[in-house]
Amino acid sequence: MTSLQERLTDGLYGLGWSTVKTLPEPVATRLGRIIADIAWKQRGKGVRRLESNYARVVPDATPERLAELSRAGMRSYLRYWMESFRLPAWSTERVKNGFDPKDLHHLTDGLASGQGVVLALPHLANWDLAGAWVTTKLETPFTTVAERLKPETLYDRFVAYREGLGMEVLPHSGGSAFGTLARRLRDGGLVCLVADRDLSASGIEVRFFGETARMPAGPALLAQQTGALLVPVTLWYDESPVMKGRLHPPIEVPESGTRAEKTSVMTQALADAFATGIAEHPEDWHMLQRLWLADLDPAADPQEGTP
């Protein structure tokens, strides 16, 4: 990304945060739908990739059904952005009433035991809203990581935004994040990680909707090394202003096997839980990038460049 592009990107995000949060909620909702529909009609790289990913999730879908899904997916994605731009301006009561999770005891029991909990989520609905709800409704701080974005000023905006919601944010790069997360968990704390995509060499290969993908090893390794519970979380939207969610049963650490074997088994179980939530609400899965290994060969889609 060139310096000019970086400044433009940062400026657009800054405009979003400064302007959208002042709009009345119905106006912001309507604006998000308009932007989503325009982007969907243009059928750019992200929309085409979203549709291709949905084809894995809903393999019997007709082209018409995939088009409907991608349109709904873009509307969901823009709902995420509109909510995120507005979250810092939401009242405490609006945040507390903005999320309704099922089976919350998987989290609260783990924290009450002092065991520490790792919540692992895919890119479903609005994970920032879920995090703000945890810090506000449950009055529970937590630690997360953020990928370093370009330009650096944009990364700083995201860190400041999430810290403003009550999160401790660590940079993904640099090598020290894992140790800090482990210390928080050993102290009985909470760690939240978005964990459905890892294209690095350290990613764990999993079967995901019938094909091979890579997901990060971190959640499983943290649970093994600290004794913390590993709890998958899936989120979704309905027609109401309240986001819904489910906390799945904790993933057990296998009793036997090497660390690598245990990590593989646990990450596959995490992928299976993610797949359950994504299959139920595919339009709320905001995966506009390549995920499956079969898609990483640029020759597989000559119209799409490097993500």
Side-chain angles (χ1 to χ4, degrees):
M1 187 182 292
T2 68
S3 178
L4 177 60
Q5 287 175 315
E6 289 177 355
R7 292 198 300 271
L8 178 60
T9 300
D10 182 50
L12 288 173
Y13 278 104
L15 181 65
W17 263 305
S18 63
T19 303
V20 174
K21 70 180 180 182
T22 66
L23 297 175
E25 190 159 343
V27 175
T29 299
R30 178 62 180 160
L31 178 61
R33 287 206 164 198
I34 291 171
I35 296 171
D37 288 349
I38 291 172
W40 177 76
K41 288 176 182 177
Q42 290 178 340
R43 291 195 59 79
K45 181 176 66 176
V47 173
R48 297 197 309 272
R49 175 53 56 194
L50 183 66
E51 212 163 277
S52 174
N53 289 339
Y54 287 161
R56 259 63 172 249
V57 176
V58 190
D60 59 346
T62 64
E64 292 77 15
R65 172 59 176 149
L66 286 176
E68 291 174 358
L69 273 176
S70 65
R71 183 179 188 181
M74 290 304 295
R75 287 184 170 187
S76 176
Y77 185 48
L78 264 294
R79 176 173 172 176
Y80 159 77
W81 278 113
M82 290 296 165
E83 285 181 348
S84 295
F85 286 145
R86 292 173 51 77
L87 260 177
W90 279 15
S91 68
T92 298
E93 286 306 307
R94 178 68 180 90
V95 174
K96 288 181 177 180
N97 295 325
F99 181 40
D100 180 20
K102 299 179 180 178
D103 298 323
L104 186 61
H105 65 277
H106 291 310
L107 169 60
T108 54
D109 290 352
L111 292 175
S113 72
Q115 193 170 358
V117 177
V118 179
L119 295 182
L121 308 88
H123 286 81
L124 273 170
N126 192 338
W127 45 97
D128 285 326
L129 172 55
W133 185 88
V134 167
T135 60
T136 304
K137 177 77 172 182
L138 301 185
E139 299 182 344
T140 301
F142 67 87
T143 304
T144 188
V145 297
E147 181 180 357
R148 284 201 175 276
L149 302 170
K150 289 186 178 182
E152 192 76 14
T153 50
L154 179 57
Y155 170 77
D156 292 340
R157 284 185 189 274
F158 271 95
V159 170
Y161 157 64
R162 289 182 170 130
E163 288 179 340
L165 298 176
M167 312 174 192
E168 180 187 20
V169 183
L170 307 175
H172 187 272
S173 58
S176 62
F178 189 90
T180 303
L181 296 173
R183 286 193 295 273
R184 300 291 183 268
L185 292 168
R186 290 191 181 102
D187 291 339
L190 175 63
V191 164
C192 299
L193 300 170
V194 179
D196 57 346
R197 184 175 186 262
D198 184 353
L199 303 183
S200 71
S202 61
I204 303 299
E205 290 193 1
V206 296
R207 295 296 290 176
F208 195 55
F209 292 101
E211 294 190 44
T212 303
R214 287 198 195 107
M215 295 188 180
L221 287 173
L222 285 167
Q224 289 179 61
Q225 294 192 18
T226 68
L229 296 177
L230 175 55
V231 179
V233 181
T234 53
L235 310 171
W236 67 92
Y237 289 129
D238 55 21
E239 295 303 315
S240 77
V242 180
M243 183 176 70
K244 306 302 191 296
R246 175 180 297 112
L247 286 82
H248 298 252
I251 293 172
E252 300 289 340
V253 178
E255 294 183 1
S256 61
T258 65
R259 183 173 71 170
E261 289 168 343
K262 292 179 180 179
T263 301
S264 178
V265 170
M266 295 175 72
T267 306
Q268 181 62 62
L270 195 62
D272 293 343
F274 289 170
T276 298
I278 292 168
E280 291 174 350
H281 304 279
E283 68 278 4
D284 291 322
W285 189 40
H286 308 150
M287 185 55 66
L288 281 72
Q289 302 85 23
R290 298 173 183 175
L291 176 71
W292 283 273
L293 300 193
D295 291 336
L296 298 185
D297 178 6
D301 184 357
Q303 292 184 304
E304 182 179 7
T306 303

